[in-house]
Amino acid sequence: MKLRGMRGSAAAVAAVVLAGLAHAGPVFVDSAADTGLVSIFAPASGYPGQFGHMEGGGAVADFNNDGWPDVFLPAGGTAPDRLFINQGPDTSGVVQFSEQAAAWGCDATHRAGGCAVADVNGDGYEDLFVVSMGDTSGPAAISDNRLYLNNGPDAFGNWAFTDVSATSGVQGLPVFLDGMGAAFGDYDLDGDLDLVVCHWSNFTGTVQLLENDGAGAFTNTTSLLPNAGFNVRAFQPRFADLNADRYPELIITGDFNTSVIYFNTGPGEAGHGFELRNEIAGIGDADCNAMGSALADFNNDLLLDWYITNIYLDFSDTCGNTLYLCQGFNETNTPVFVEDGQARGVREGGWGWGTAPIDLDHDGDLDIAATGGWSTWQPIPSRLYINDGAANFTNQAPQAGTDFVGYGRGYVTLDFDNDGDLDLLLIANSNTARLYENLTPEAATNRWLRVDVSTNNHPCLAPGGFGTRILVTANGTTQLRHIDGAESYLSVGQRTAHFGLGTDDTAELVEILWADGSTTTLSDVAAGQILHVSAPQPGDINADGTVNFDDIDAFVTGFLTGDLIADLDDNGVLNFDDIDAFIGAFLGTSCH
């Protein structure tokens, strides 16, 4: 077996790997120090109430477009924030990170909260949003959030951010003093990425919804969200299309039984709409103190499930980590969930915070990483729940080497060394970050496929592929992944779709379901690669990658022969509306 990621402490790593071979299970080693990813979130004084102890997030993204994931880690105000740019492997083959926050202009010393990443102005570069309660040079400030626009490289190849916080509409949102998680998503499908910011205070308005004007300036549209009838003690949001109608729902983890699902009803006469459907969906009664959020298909039935970290109470039948398994849809196209965390083996996690789905051994089913901890609570090690293939889980964190004990907060996945398996980044409060490199033997012997999507050529699809659903079929089994902000608690992981294929060398079918309703289908895709797929351009009827006279011919032929390739408004009928849509798409003035 090849010992990937060999360090200076080669003997120790080899021992870990050989131990992994002996017990045939997950193996991770903390490579933070060896790669130069050395950071600590240490909350400064002045955080209101208990907020300093609840914070601790980060963000993974390829900020310089070189194909290697970088890492942004706030410091909590006791030091400047840190930006670690991935340099790839050094001469000995060890990936190295270079801390460059000052050069990039994101080295603020402030009371940071959650992070989110997106290309908010559509220029092809990842921008960075950080929730903030103000610089530590003064008292805590209301909604002093930071939005850093990525300038791209200058004439000398140097990269930097521009702080546009004061002019972009992201500051001064609520009238109360706190800030938790944030997320981007295209809720109105207009091709740009909107923003939601969460707050934990016991007041109305803790979920703030902001609409993007397409150039990275935001307008507050919180009035679109219906009154929940209670104050949402909001921790972490995310946008995700739960019912495959293309319009993403807004789901929020909330403390004290206040989690909510705002179902996206799409455009209407009165404008865009959301409805609160907690009771219909079966969400809320079990998640007593919901913090972290992992949204994924854990039982491979092509329906998105929702795993939420909570506070485990051994005297309670309901409180603890919750696994909401989707059972299908009712007559209103609302997903119906059943909570089954206890029976599935994922309930007991102590005082939970961050969590992430991960197929760590490439066996084709999703495992769960979870962390937590609180100063007045019994110390409980972080969890690594291994899926048996039927969504039954066993905790194998101790043998895996990920049983961190402390105040774990953000927990996300990334492939920092581009070797094809997923690694884990754990961000702790008042402790150093852990970069758990995946050395699981099965991850090396089983096959994998990673799908990275681009929407750069499609002006009506949100940047970064937000809202895309990806289906991969291998050995008769189809797996589902969805592209959103890759959120965990206060954090975002690497935005990619990663699939374990077991022993199969080929994926029989890869289907990319774009947020505009179009589909890209690929057959017999070789495993062991990062597959880059671009969304088709509007007007590219024959899907050859260019828009020209051949597309006019394809559309006219399809329209005259009744071929639904010409049904550009997807209503099953060919009429003048399709002609109008094609003309607009061909000229680049509208989308279908």
Side-chain angles (χ1 to χ4, degrees):
M1 171 186 174
K2 179 183 177 182
L3 298 183
R4 304 187 319 279
M6 189 66 75
R7 304 285 174 255
S9 54
V13 175
V16 170
V17 177
L18 292 175
L21 286 171
H23 69 66
V27 180
F28 289 82
V29 61
D30 183 7
S31 297
D34 292 324
T35 60
L37 191 79
V38 179
S39 184
I40 182 172
F41 183 92
S45 61
Y47 274 97
Q50 303 179 86
F51 285 102
H53 195 50
M54 291 192 287
E55 306 287 2
V60 178
D62 183 5
F63 289 111
N64 60 357
N65 286 0
D66 65 352
W68 294 85
D70 310 305
V71 179
F72 174 80
L73 292 175
T78 51
D81 292 345
R82 300 176 177 94
L83 177 64
F84 295 92
I85 300 299
N86 195 325
Q87 306 297 299
D90 61 14
T91 55
S92 64
V94 180
V95 167
Q96 294 295 313
F97 289 92
S98 171
E99 203 290 301
Q100 298 182 18
W104 281 66
C106 59
D107 58 334
T109 305
H110 65 127
R111 300 176 183 90
C115 303
V117 173
D119 177 5
V120 301
N121 56 0
D123 63 356
Y125 306 121
E126 297 283 9
D127 308 306
L128 174 65
F129 177 77
V130 188
V131 176
S132 179
M133 285 167 265
D135 291 336
T136 51
S137 58
I142 294 174
S143 189
D144 193 27
N145 304 322
R146 313 297 162 96
L147 179 61
Y148 299 106
L149 287 187
N150 190 333
N151 301 327
D154 65 14
F156 302 99
N158 299 314
W159 293 70
F161 290 114
T162 295
D163 186 346
V164 297
S165 310
T167 59
S168 59
V170 300
Q171 294 187 331
L173 304 181
V175 295
F176 33 86
L177 189 61
D178 74 58
M180 300 305 297
F184 287 102
D186 186 8
Y187 76 78
D188 48 6
L189 297 187
D190 64 352
D192 54 48
L193 290 164
D194 312 303
L195 175 65
V196 62
V197 184
C198 280
H199 306 83
W200 185 76
S201 293
N202 188 19
F203 298 97
T204 59
T206 52
V207 179
Q208 294 284 306
L209 180 66
L210 308 177
E211 183 180 6
N212 192 339
D213 69 355
F218 294 85
T219 300
N220 199 314
T221 54
T222 304
S223 60
L224 295 179
L225 302 179
N227 189 338
F230 49 81
N231 296 332
V232 181
R233 306 294 293 272
F235 276 123
Q236 181 61 46
R238 74 188 306 157
F239 288 101
D241 178 13
L242 298 181
N243 56 3
D245 68 350
R246 300 190 294 118
Y247 287 96
E249 277 65 55
L250 173 56
I251 65 175
I252 311 283
T253 55
D255 213 349
F256 310 120
N257 293 102
T258 64
S259 295
V260 291
I261 298 180
Y262 294 110
F263 271 87
N264 194 328
T265 58
E269 293 182 2
H272 210 88
F274 290 89
E275 292 180 358
L276 192 69
R277 297 186 185 175
N278 282 30
E279 186 174 345
I280 298 173
I283 295 294
D285 291 339
D287 56 320
C288 303
N289 305 96
M291 281 83 132
S293 175
L295 192 71
D297 179 13
F298 292 108
N299 54 2
N300 277 348
D301 62 357
L302 305 184
L303 301 170
L304 289 175
D305 310 306
W306 193 12
Y307 181 70
I308 303 173
T309 55
N310 277 268
I311 301 173
Y312 173 69
L313 303 175
D314 57 7
F315 55 81
S316 172
D317 292 332
T318 58
C319 292
N321 296 339
T322 56
L323 179 57
Y324 288 112
L325 293 175
C326 184
Q327 307 299 299
F329 306 94
N330 68 6
E331 63 278 4
T332 65
N333 202 27
T334 302
V336 177
F337 296 91
V338 170
E339 201 289 307
D340 205 24
Q342 182 66 46
R344 301 287 178 163
V346 294
R347 172 68 55 80
E348 301 180 19
W351 193 301
W353 294 101
T355 183
I358 174 174
D359 184 355
L360 61 88
D361 49 9
H362 295 162
D363 63 354
D365 52 57
L366 288 170
D367 313 299
I368 300 174
T371 190
W374 191 253
S375 58
T376 59
W377 201 259
Q378 176 185 359
I380 299 293
S382 298
R383 300 302 208 232
L384 192 62
Y385 297 112
I386 304 303
N387 193 333
D388 69 352
N392 302 300
F393 298 84
T394 56
N395 176 36
Q396 297 184 26
Q399 55 265 50
T402 60
D403 53 339
F404 168 76
V405 178
Y407 307 141
R409 295 296 180 261
Y411 212 4
V412 298
T413 60
L414 74 166
D415 183 7
F416 79 90
D417 49 6
N418 275 343
D419 66 351
D421 56 42
L422 288 180
D423 312 299
L424 287 163
L425 174 65
L426 187 153
I427 301 121
N429 187 296
S430 303
N431 209 319
T432 54
R434 266 70 175 168
L435 181 62
Y436 290 124
E437 182 178 358
N438 190 348
L439 299 177
T440 301
E442 293 88 345
T445 57
N446 285 335
R447 310 296 188 260
W448 59 273
L449 178 67
R450 192 173 117 196
V451 183
D452 285 355
V453 297
S454 171
T455 49
N456 291 342
N457 292 330
H458 197 312
C460 296
L461 286 176
F466 277 71
T468 307
R469 297 163 71 92
I470 301 171
L471 301 173
V472 168
T473 301
N475 195 25
T477 298
T478 302
Q479 301 177 52
L480 167 69
R481 302 289 186 268
H482 65 109
I483 303 294
D484 61 2
E487 287 90 2
S488 176
Y489 178 75
L490 305 184
S491 307
V492 292
Q494 188 171 355
R495 193 186 316 126
T496 187
H498 176 270
F499 299 85
L501 304 183
T503 58
D504 286 358
D505 292 318
T506 303
E508 303 158 23
L509 196 65
V510 176
E511 298 174 271
I512 317 294
L513 310 178
W514 306 101
D516 68 340
S518 62
T519 302
T520 298
T521 302
L522 304 171
S523 300
D524 298 326
V525 177
Q529 66 169 311
I530 301 173
L531 181 66
H532 298 277
V533 183
S534 295
Q537 301 179 51
D540 184 13
I541 304 301
N542 61 2
D544 66 352
T546 59
V547 178
N548 54 29
F549 180 80
D550 292 338
D551 297 294
I552 298 176
D553 182 63
F555 175 78
V556 172
T557 300
F559 190 87
L560 293 177
T561 60
D563 189 337
L564 291 183
I565 193 175
D567 180 23
L568 298 194
D569 58 4
D570 297 315
N571 66 353
V573 178
L574 298 179
N575 54 28
F576 179 80
D577 291 338
D578 298 298
I579 297 175
D580 183 61
F582 174 71
I583 293 172
F586 188 83
L587 297 176
T589 58
S590 67
C591 301
H592 67 277

